[in-house]
Amino acid sequence: MTISKTPAGIAAVVLAGLAQPALADDCSDRFTEIYMQLDQGVPTKTVATTQFKGAPATVNDFLYLSQDHHMTVPTNPAGPWVLTYQNVMYQSADAGKTWAKVRDLDSAQNAEGAIAAKKTNAETIRNAACGEETIDGVVLEKVAADLTVSQGMVTENRYTYWLSRDDGFIVKALYETTAPNFEMVTTQTIEPAPELSLPTPQ
């Protein structure tokens, strides 16, 4: 490639060199913005498939109304349903017909803890990549990055999000996790669920 030695040509080269870090920073900021969300601000239904290396995959439906009202339904293999409602965790062994209290919770404190943990993890975000990908004929925003998660045990992770270009809704997420003694991949497909209704045990 021939580079002009004129002042304008040299300036163009300098500006091109400065543009790449700026774009990288913008992408890292975009990933951080997505990662720091506790929810998407609307009721959602998520199908989560988790597979540890060398083991069969498991599938759960996660139904979410709010931080204090959500339910997990294991579908493959089937198992007891778990519901959180008004700072209490419940479990049902009969597909939601009856509920047994498991323990009390503090949703506000849990949310504060989750935010604090995410802030710590966000300091390790690196290798961010932003672009687009077409899935089922729909062009989606794609944002990915590596990060270290240090709660419980230290794991290295690659998180990838696919978002609607219309409203920024996360429609798919891929979490690839590596630890000293296991590897795990979780894929989530997510959809808004405006008509969602969940049990309210007394």
Side-chain angles (χ1 to χ4, degrees):
M1 178 178 69
T2 301
I3 299 175
S4 171
K5 298 297 181 66
T6 65
I10 294 171
V13 172
V14 171
L15 289 173
L18 292 175
Q20 294 306 314
L23 290 172
D25 288 346
D26 288 346
C27 183
S28 181
D29 289 345
R30 177 60 173 149
F31 179 89
T32 302
E33 176 188 12
I34 298 166
Y35 172 71
M36 288 301 298
Q37 296 179 14
L38 290 183
D39 61 37
Q40 301 208 62
V42 296
T44 55
K45 177 182 179 180
T46 300
V47 178
T49 302
T50 300
Q51 184 161 23
F52 287 87
K53 186 176 181 178
T58 62
V59 183
N60 296 279
D61 289 343
F62 181 65
L63 310 174
Y64 182 91
L65 278 177
S66 69
Q67 294 177 24
D68 194 33
H69 200 185
H70 48 82
M71 183 168 70
T72 299
V73 179
T75 59
N76 186 21
W81 296 9
V82 178
L83 173 75
T84 295
Y85 176 61
Q86 293 187 345
N87 287 313
V88 179
M89 178 184 288
Y90 299 90
Q91 190 174 75
S92 174
D94 54 12
K97 296 182 180 65
T98 60
W99 294 94
K101 179 178 176 179
V102 177
R103 65 176 182 271
D104 292 317
L105 302 170
D106 188 332
S107 296
Q109 185 177 35
N110 289 343
E112 291 174 1
I115 292 171
K118 281 178 172 282
K119 285 182 178 178
T120 297
N121 299 336
E123 294 176 359
T124 71
I125 290 172
R126 57 203 182 273
N127 301 324
C130 296
E132 293 182 340
E133 184 173 336
T134 301
I135 299 178
D136 296 331
V138 179
V139 179
L140 302 172
E141 178 187 8
K142 182 180 180 181
V143 183
D146 297 330
L147 72 161
T148 302
V149 173
S150 56
Q151 292 74 41
M153 69 173 67
V154 177
T155 61
E156 298 301 332
N157 304 267
R158 181 73 175 177
Y159 287 1
T160 306
Y161 302 101
W162 289 263
L163 305 91
S164 166
R165 295 195 304 173
D166 294 332
D167 56 11
F169 185 87
I170 302 168
V171 299
K172 181 180 177 181
L174 177 69
Y175 305 104
E176 301 168 279
T177 298
T178 302
N181 57 347
F182 71 87
E183 294 180 22
M184 178 180 71
V185 176
T186 298
T187 303
Q188 297 181 342
T189 56
I190 311 159
E191 61 184 59
E195 306 301 323
L196 180 65
S197 178
L198 295 179
T200 56
Q202 301 299 321

mmCIF file with all atom_site columns, all heavy atoms in Angstrom, residues 35-38 67 107-121 151:
data_model
loop_
_atom_site.group_PDB
_atom_site.id
_atom_site.type_symbol
_atom_site.label_atom_id
_atom_site.label_alt_id
_atom_site.label_comp_id
_atom_site.label_asym_id
_atom_site.label_entity_id
_atom_site.label_seq_id
_atom_site.pdbx_PDB_ins_code
_atom_site.Cartn_x
_atom_site.Cartn_y
_atom_site.Cartn_z
_atom_site.occupancy
_atom_site.B_iso_or_equiv
_atom_site.pdbx_formal_charge
_atom_site.auth_seq_id
_atom_site.auth_comp_id
_atom_site.auth_asym_id
_atom_site.auth_atom_id
_atom_site.pdbx_PDB_model_num
ATOM 1   N N   . TYR A 1 35  ? -24.422 -6.651  29.681 1.00 0.00 ? 35  TYR A N   1
ATOM 2   C CA  . TYR A 1 35  ? -24.084 -7.572  30.766 1.00 0.00 ? 35  TYR A CA  1
ATOM 3   C C   . TYR A 1 35  ? -24.624 -7.092  32.113 1.00 0.00 ? 35  TYR A C   1
ATOM 4   O O   . TYR A 1 35  ? -25.053 -7.906  32.948 1.00 0.00 ? 35  TYR A O   1
ATOM 5   C CB  . TYR A 1 35  ? -22.566 -7.736  30.842 1.00 0.00 ? 35  TYR A CB  1
ATOM 6   C CG  . TYR A 1 35  ? -22.099 -8.514  32.044 1.00 0.00 ? 35  TYR A CG  1
ATOM 7   C CD1 . TYR A 1 35  ? -22.325 -9.889  32.146 1.00 0.00 ? 35  TYR A CD1 1
ATOM 8   C CD2 . TYR A 1 35  ? -21.447 -7.876  33.100 1.00 0.00 ? 35  TYR A CD2 1
ATOM 9   C CE1 . TYR A 1 35  ? -21.910 -10.603 33.264 1.00 0.00 ? 35  TYR A CE1 1
ATOM 10  C CE2 . TYR A 1 35  ? -21.026 -8.581  34.208 1.00 0.00 ? 35  TYR A CE2 1
ATOM 11  C CZ  . TYR A 1 35  ? -21.265 -9.935  34.290 1.00 0.00 ? 35  TYR A CZ  1
ATOM 12  O OH  . TYR A 1 35  ? -20.859 -10.639 35.400 1.00 0.00 ? 35  TYR A OH  1
ATOM 13  N N   . MET A 1 36  ? -24.641 -5.791  32.341 1.00 0.00 ? 36  MET A N   1
ATOM 14  C CA  . MET A 1 36  ? -25.031 -5.258  33.647 1.00 0.00 ? 36  MET A CA  1
ATOM 15  C C   . MET A 1 36  ? -26.533 -5.309  33.891 1.00 0.00 ? 36  MET A C   1
ATOM 16  O O   . MET A 1 36  ? -26.995 -5.093  35.009 1.00 0.00 ? 36  MET A O   1
ATOM 17  C CB  . MET A 1 36  ? -24.528 -3.821  33.804 1.00 0.00 ? 36  MET A CB  1
ATOM 18  C CG  . MET A 1 36  ? -23.017 -3.692  33.988 1.00 0.00 ? 36  MET A CG  1
ATOM 19  S SD  . MET A 1 36  ? -22.393 -4.580  35.453 1.00 0.00 ? 36  MET A SD  1
ATOM 20  C CE  . MET A 1 36  ? -23.268 -3.731  36.770 1.00 0.00 ? 36  MET A CE  1
ATOM 21  N N   . GLN A 1 37  ? -27.336 -5.598  32.872 1.00 0.00 ? 37  GLN A N   1
ATOM 22  C CA  . GLN A 1 37  ? -28.787 -5.682  33.069 1.00 0.00 ? 37  GLN A CA  1
ATOM 23  C C   . GLN A 1 37  ? -29.132 -6.831  34.012 1.00 0.00 ? 37  GLN A C   1
ATOM 24  O O   . GLN A 1 37  ? -28.588 -7.924  33.893 1.00 0.00 ? 37  GLN A O   1
ATOM 25  C CB  . GLN A 1 37  ? -29.499 -5.923  31.737 1.00 0.00 ? 37  GLN A CB  1
ATOM 26  C CG  . GLN A 1 37  ? -29.371 -4.818  30.724 1.00 0.00 ? 37  GLN A CG  1
ATOM 27  C CD  . GLN A 1 37  ? -30.096 -5.153  29.429 1.00 0.00 ? 37  GLN A CD  1
ATOM 28  O OE1 . GLN A 1 37  ? -30.898 -6.081  29.359 1.00 0.00 ? 37  GLN A OE1 1
ATOM 29  N NE2 . GLN A 1 37  ? -29.822 -4.396  28.389 1.00 0.00 ? 37  GLN A NE2 1
ATOM 30  N N   . LEU A 1 38  ? -30.055 -6.582  34.929 1.00 0.00 ? 38  LEU A N   1
ATOM 31  C CA  . LEU A 1 38  ? -30.589 -7.660  35.769 1.00 0.00 ? 38  LEU A CA  1
ATOM 32  C C   . LEU A 1 38  ? -31.790 -8.323  35.098 1.00 0.00 ? 38  LEU A C   1
ATOM 33  O O   . LEU A 1 38  ? -32.083 -9.491  35.347 1.00 0.00 ? 38  LEU A O   1
ATOM 34  C CB  . LEU A 1 38  ? -30.980 -7.128  37.143 1.00 0.00 ? 38  LEU A CB  1
ATOM 35  C CG  . LEU A 1 38  ? -29.824 -6.716  38.069 1.00 0.00 ? 38  LEU A CG  1
ATOM 36  C CD1 . LEU A 1 38  ? -30.369 -6.275  39.419 1.00 0.00 ? 38  LEU A CD1 1
ATOM 37  C CD2 . LEU A 1 38  ? -28.808 -7.842  38.229 1.00 0.00 ? 38  LEU A CD2 1
ATOM 38  N N   . GLN A 1 67  ? -38.082 -9.462  39.644 1.00 0.00 ? 67  GLN A N   1
ATOM 39  C CA  . GLN A 1 67  ? -37.023 -10.033 40.470 1.00 0.00 ? 67  GLN A CA  1
ATOM 40  C C   . GLN A 1 67  ? -37.589 -10.801 41.662 1.00 0.00 ? 67  GLN A C   1
ATOM 41  O O   . GLN A 1 67  ? -36.905 -11.657 42.232 1.00 0.00 ? 67  GLN A O   1
ATOM 42  C CB  . GLN A 1 67  ? -36.090 -8.920  40.961 1.00 0.00 ? 67  GLN A CB  1
ATOM 43  C CG  . GLN A 1 67  ? -35.307 -8.251  39.852 1.00 0.00 ? 67  GLN A CG  1
ATOM 44  C CD  . GLN A 1 67  ? -34.449 -7.108  40.354 1.00 0.00 ? 67  GLN A CD  1
ATOM 45  O OE1 . GLN A 1 67  ? -34.082 -7.065  41.529 1.00 0.00 ? 67  GLN A OE1 1
ATOM 46  N NE2 . GLN A 1 67  ? -34.123 -6.177  39.472 1.00 0.00 ? 67  GLN A NE2 1
ATOM 47  N N   . SER A 1 107 ? -35.060 -10.565 48.224 1.00 0.00 ? 107 SER A N   1
ATOM 48  C CA  . SER A 1 107 ? -34.874 -10.245 46.816 1.00 0.00 ? 107 SER A CA  1
ATOM 49  C C   . SER A 1 107 ? -34.091 -8.952  46.620 1.00 0.00 ? 107 SER A C   1
ATOM 50  O O   . SER A 1 107 ? -33.246 -8.855  45.722 1.00 0.00 ? 107 SER A O   1
ATOM 51  C CB  . SER A 1 107 ? -36.229 -10.138 46.112 1.00 0.00 ? 107 SER A CB  1
ATOM 52  O OG  . SER A 1 107 ? -36.897 -11.385 46.133 1.00 0.00 ? 107 SER A OG  1
ATOM 53  N N   . ALA A 1 108 ? -34.356 -7.949  47.459 1.00 0.00 ? 108 ALA A N   1
ATOM 54  C CA  . ALA A 1 108 ? -33.642 -6.679  47.332 1.00 0.00 ? 108 ALA A CA  1
ATOM 55  C C   . ALA A 1 108 ? -32.153 -6.871  47.597 1.00 0.00 ? 108 ALA A C   1
ATOM 56  O O   . ALA A 1 108 ? -31.301 -6.367  46.860 1.00 0.00 ? 108 ALA A O   1
ATOM 57  C CB  . ALA A 1 108 ? -34.232 -5.644  48.285 1.00 0.00 ? 108 ALA A CB  1
ATOM 58  N N   . GLN A 1 109 ? -31.853 -7.604  48.657 1.00 0.00 ? 109 GLN A N   1
ATOM 59  C CA  . GLN A 1 109 ? -30.443 -7.855  48.978 1.00 0.00 ? 109 GLN A CA  1
ATOM 60  C C   . GLN A 1 109 ? -29.791 -8.702  47.887 1.00 0.00 ? 109 GLN A C   1
ATOM 61  O O   . GLN A 1 109 ? -28.638 -8.464  47.504 1.00 0.00 ? 109 GLN A O   1
ATOM 62  C CB  . GLN A 1 109 ? -30.323 -8.561  50.325 1.00 0.00 ? 109 GLN A CB  1
ATOM 63  C CG  . GLN A 1 109 ? -28.879 -8.756  50.792 1.00 0.00 ? 109 GLN A CG  1
ATOM 64  C CD  . GLN A 1 109 ? -28.801 -9.401  52.172 1.00 0.00 ? 109 GLN A CD  1
ATOM 65  O OE1 . GLN A 1 109 ? -29.623 -10.237 52.523 1.00 0.00 ? 109 GLN A OE1 1
ATOM 66  N NE2 . GLN A 1 109 ? -27.804 -9.005  52.944 1.00 0.00 ? 109 GLN A NE2 1
ATOM 67  N N   . ASN A 1 110 ? -30.523 -9.674  47.365 1.00 0.00 ? 110 ASN A N   1
ATOM 68  C CA  . ASN A 1 110 ? -29.986 -10.502 46.291 1.00 0.00 ? 110 ASN A CA  1
ATOM 69  C C   . ASN A 1 110 ? -29.686 -9.679  45.049 1.00 0.00 ? 110 ASN A C   1
ATOM 70  O O   . ASN A 1 110 ? -28.680 -9.893  44.368 1.00 0.00 ? 110 ASN A O   1
ATOM 71  C CB  . ASN A 1 110 ? -30.960 -11.624 45.953 1.00 0.00 ? 110 ASN A CB  1
ATOM 72  C CG  . ASN A 1 110 ? -31.039 -12.677 47.047 1.00 0.00 ? 110 ASN A CG  1
ATOM 73  O OD1 . ASN A 1 110 ? -30.167 -12.751 47.904 1.00 0.00 ? 110 ASN A OD1 1
ATOM 74  N ND2 . ASN A 1 110 ? -32.085 -13.480 47.017 1.00 0.00 ? 110 ASN A ND2 1
ATOM 75  N N   . ALA A 1 111 ? -30.574 -8.715  44.739 1.00 0.00 ? 111 ALA A N   1
ATOM 76  C CA  . ALA A 1 111 ? -30.354 -7.849  43.579 1.00 0.00 ? 111 ALA A CA  1
ATOM 77  C C   . ALA A 1 111 ? -29.117 -6.979  43.786 1.00 0.00 ? 111 ALA A C   1
ATOM 78  O O   . ALA A 1 111 ? -28.308 -6.803  42.871 1.00 0.00 ? 111 ALA A O   1
ATOM 79  C CB  . ALA A 1 111 ? -31.581 -6.981  43.335 1.00 0.00 ? 111 ALA A CB  1
ATOM 80  N N   . GLU A 1 112 ? -28.966 -6.441  44.995 1.00 0.00 ? 112 GLU A N   1
ATOM 81  C CA  . GLU A 1 112 ? -27.786 -5.626  45.291 1.00 0.00 ? 112 GLU A CA  1
ATOM 82  C C   . GLU A 1 112 ? -26.516 -6.452  45.159 1.00 0.00 ? 112 GLU A C   1
ATOM 83  O O   . GLU A 1 112 ? -25.499 -5.993  44.630 1.00 0.00 ? 112 GLU A O   1
ATOM 84  C CB  . GLU A 1 112 ? -27.895 -5.040  46.708 1.00 0.00 ? 112 GLU A CB  1
ATOM 85  C CG  . GLU A 1 112 ? -28.986 -3.983  46.845 1.00 0.00 ? 112 GLU A CG  1
ATOM 86  C CD  . GLU A 1 112 ? -29.168 -3.536  48.295 1.00 0.00 ? 112 GLU A CD  1
ATOM 87  O OE1 . GLU A 1 112 ? -28.427 -4.045  49.161 1.00 0.00 ? 112 GLU A OE1 1
ATOM 88  O OE2 . GLU A 1 112 ? -30.034 -2.682  48.545 1.00 0.00 ? 112 GLU A OE2 1
ATOM 89  N N   . GLY A 1 113 ? -26.579 -7.688  45.643 1.00 0.00 ? 113 GLY A N   1
ATOM 90  C CA  . GLY A 1 113 ? -25.427 -8.573  45.530 1.00 0.00 ? 113 GLY A CA  1
ATOM 91  C C   . GLY A 1 113 ? -25.100 -8.897  44.081 1.00 0.00 ? 113 GLY A C   1
ATOM 92  O O   . GLY A 1 113 ? -23.928 -8.964  43.699 1.00 0.00 ? 113 GLY A O   1
ATOM 93  N N   . ALA A 1 114 ? -26.136 -9.100  43.278 1.00 0.00 ? 114 ALA A N   1
ATOM 94  C CA  . ALA A 1 114 ? -25.926 -9.402  41.868 1.00 0.00 ? 114 ALA A CA  1
ATOM 95  C C   . ALA A 1 114 ? -25.290 -8.233  41.139 1.00 0.00 ? 114 ALA A C   1
ATOM 96  O O   . ALA A 1 114 ? -24.389 -8.418  40.306 1.00 0.00 ? 114 ALA A O   1
ATOM 97  C CB  . ALA A 1 114 ? -27.254 -9.770  41.216 1.00 0.00 ? 114 ALA A CB  1
ATOM 98  N N   . ILE A 1 115 ? -25.737 -7.009  41.457 1.00 0.00 ? 115 ILE A N   1
ATOM 99  C CA  . ILE A 1 115 ? -25.156 -5.819  40.831 1.00 0.00 ? 115 ILE A CA  1
ATOM 100 C C   . ILE A 1 115 ? -23.692 -5.675  41.224 1.00 0.00 ? 115 ILE A C   1
ATOM 101 O O   . ILE A 1 115 ? -22.829 -5.402  40.375 1.00 0.00 ? 115 ILE A O   1
ATOM 102 C CB  . ILE A 1 115 ? -25.953 -4.567  41.221 1.00 0.00 ? 115 ILE A CB  1
ATOM 103 C CG1 . ILE A 1 115 ? -27.353 -4.615  40.600 1.00 0.00 ? 115 ILE A CG1 1
ATOM 104 C CG2 . ILE A 1 115 ? -25.224 -3.307  40.772 1.00 0.00 ? 115 ILE A CG2 1
ATOM 105 C CD1 . ILE A 1 115 ? -28.286 -3.530  41.099 1.00 0.00 ? 115 ILE A CD1 1
ATOM 106 N N   . ALA A 1 116 ? -23.402 -5.873  42.503 1.00 0.00 ? 116 ALA A N   1
ATOM 107 C CA  . ALA A 1 116 ? -22.019 -5.756  42.972 1.00 0.00 ? 116 ALA A CA  1
ATOM 108 C C   . ALA A 1 116 ? -21.125 -6.798  42.299 1.00 0.00 ? 116 ALA A C   1
ATOM 109 O O   . ALA A 1 116 ? -20.000 -6.500  41.887 1.00 0.00 ? 116 ALA A O   1
ATOM 110 C CB  . ALA A 1 116 ? -21.964 -5.921  44.493 1.00 0.00 ? 116 ALA A CB  1
ATOM 111 N N   . ALA A 1 117 ? -21.635 -8.028  42.163 1.00 0.00 ? 117 ALA A N   1
ATOM 112 C CA  . ALA A 1 117 ? -20.858 -9.087  41.515 1.00 0.00 ? 117 ALA A CA  1
ATOM 113 C C   . ALA A 1 117 ? -20.608 -8.747  40.048 1.00 0.00 ? 117 ALA A C   1
ATOM 114 O O   . ALA A 1 117 ? -19.501 -8.934  39.527 1.00 0.00 ? 117 ALA A O   1
ATOM 115 C CB  . ALA A 1 117 ? -21.583 -10.418 41.641 1.00 0.00 ? 117 ALA A CB  1
ATOM 116 N N   . LYS A 1 118 ? -21.642 -8.253  39.366 1.00 0.00 ? 118 LYS A N   1
ATOM 117 C CA  . LYS A 1 118 ? -21.478 -7.900  37.962 1.00 0.00 ? 118 LYS A CA  1
ATOM 118 C C   . LYS A 1 118 ? -20.462 -6.768  37.781 1.00 0.00 ? 118 LYS A C   1
ATOM 119 O O   . LYS A 1 118 ? -19.665 -6.778  36.823 1.00 0.00 ? 118 LYS A O   1
ATOM 120 C CB  . LYS A 1 118 ? -22.832 -7.505  37.361 1.00 0.00 ? 118 LYS A CB  1
ATOM 121 C CG  . LYS A 1 118 ? -23.722 -8.700  36.997 1.00 0.00 ? 118 LYS A CG  1
ATOM 122 C CD  . LYS A 1 118 ? -25.054 -8.235  36.467 1.00 0.00 ? 118 LYS A CD  1
ATOM 123 C CE  . LYS A 1 118 ? -25.873 -9.397  35.911 1.00 0.00 ? 118 LYS A CE  1
ATOM 124 N NZ  . LYS A 1 118 ? -25.419 -9.805  34.573 1.00 0.00 ? 118 LYS A NZ  1
ATOM 125 N N   . LYS A 1 119 ? -20.465 -5.805  38.682 1.00 0.00 ? 119 LYS A N   1
ATOM 126 C CA  . LYS A 1 119 ? -19.494 -4.711  38.596 1.00 0.00 ? 119 LYS A CA  1
ATOM 127 C C   . LYS A 1 119 ? -18.070 -5.249  38.716 1.00 0.00 ? 119 LYS A C   1
ATOM 128 O O   . LYS A 1 119 ? -17.167 -4.840  37.980 1.00 0.00 ? 119 LYS A O   1
ATOM 129 C CB  . LYS A 1 119 ? -19.765 -3.672  39.689 1.00 0.00 ? 119 LYS A CB  1
ATOM 130 C CG  . LYS A 1 119 ? -20.968 -2.789  39.421 1.00 0.00 ? 119 LYS A CG  1
ATOM 131 C CD  . LYS A 1 119 ? -21.152 -1.760  40.525 1.00 0.00 ? 119 LYS A CD  1
ATOM 132 C CE  . LYS A 1 119 ? -22.326 -0.832  40.234 1.00 0.00 ? 119 LYS A CE  1
ATOM 133 N NZ  . LYS A 1 119 ? -22.535 0.150   41.337 1.00 0.00 ? 119 LYS A NZ  1
ATOM 134 N N   . THR A 1 120 ? -17.875 -6.191  39.638 1.00 0.00 ? 120 THR A N   1
ATOM 135 C CA  . THR A 1 120 ? -16.546 -6.800  39.798 1.00 0.00 ? 120 THR A CA  1
ATOM 136 C C   . THR A 1 120 ? -16.141 -7.549  38.536 1.00 0.00 ? 120 THR A C   1
ATOM 137 O O   . THR A 1 120 ? -15.022 -7.399  38.032 1.00 0.00 ? 120 THR A O   1
ATOM 138 C CB  . THR A 1 120 ? -16.537 -7.757  41.002 1.00 0.00 ? 120 THR A CB  1
ATOM 139 O OG1 . THR A 1 120 ? -16.805 -7.014  42.189 1.00 0.00 ? 120 THR A OG1 1
ATOM 140 C CG2 . THR A 1 120 ? -15.186 -8.453  41.141 1.00 0.00 ? 120 THR A CG2 1
ATOM 141 N N   . ASN A 1 121 ? -17.047 -8.337  38.013 1.00 0.00 ? 121 ASN A N   1
ATOM 142 C CA  . ASN A 1 121 ? -16.745 -9.125  36.811 1.00 0.00 ? 121 ASN A CA  1
ATOM 143 C C   . ASN A 1 121 ? -16.526 -8.230  35.596 1.00 0.00 ? 121 ASN A C   1
ATOM 144 O O   . ASN A 1 121 ? -15.695 -8.533  34.733 1.00 0.00 ? 121 ASN A O   1
ATOM 145 C CB  . ASN A 1 121 ? -17.874 -10.111 36.528 1.00 0.00 ? 121 ASN A CB  1
ATOM 146 C CG  . ASN A 1 121 ? -18.074 -11.109 37.654 1.00 0.00 ? 121 ASN A CG  1
ATOM 147 O OD1 . ASN A 1 121 ? -17.168 -11.383 38.439 1.00 0.00 ? 121 ASN A OD1 1
ATOM 148 N ND2 . ASN A 1 121 ? -19.277 -11.659 37.745 1.00 0.00 ? 121 ASN A ND2 1
ATOM 149 N N   . GLN A 1 151 ? -17.194 -15.182 41.454 1.00 0.00 ? 151 GLN A N   1
ATOM 150 C CA  . GLN A 1 151 ? -18.060 -15.533 42.578 1.00 0.00 ? 151 GLN A CA  1
ATOM 151 C C   . GLN A 1 151 ? -18.132 -17.056 42.717 1.00 0.00 ? 151 GLN A C   1
ATOM 152 O O   . GLN A 1 151 ? -18.395 -17.756 41.755 1.00 0.00 ? 151 GLN A O   1
ATOM 153 C CB  . GLN A 1 151 ? -19.466 -14.959 42.392 1.00 0.00 ? 151 GLN A CB  1
ATOM 154 C CG  . GLN A 1 151 ? -19.528 -13.443 42.488 1.00 0.00 ? 151 GLN A CG  1
ATOM 155 C CD  . GLN A 1 151 ? -18.975 -12.744 41.271 1.00 0.00 ? 151 GLN A CD  1
ATOM 156 O OE1 . GLN A 1 151 ? -19.213 -13.160 40.148 1.00 0.00 ? 151 GLN A OE1 1
ATOM 157 N NE2 . GLN A 1 151 ? -18.220 -11.679 41.482 1.00 0.00 ? 151 GLN A NE2 1
#
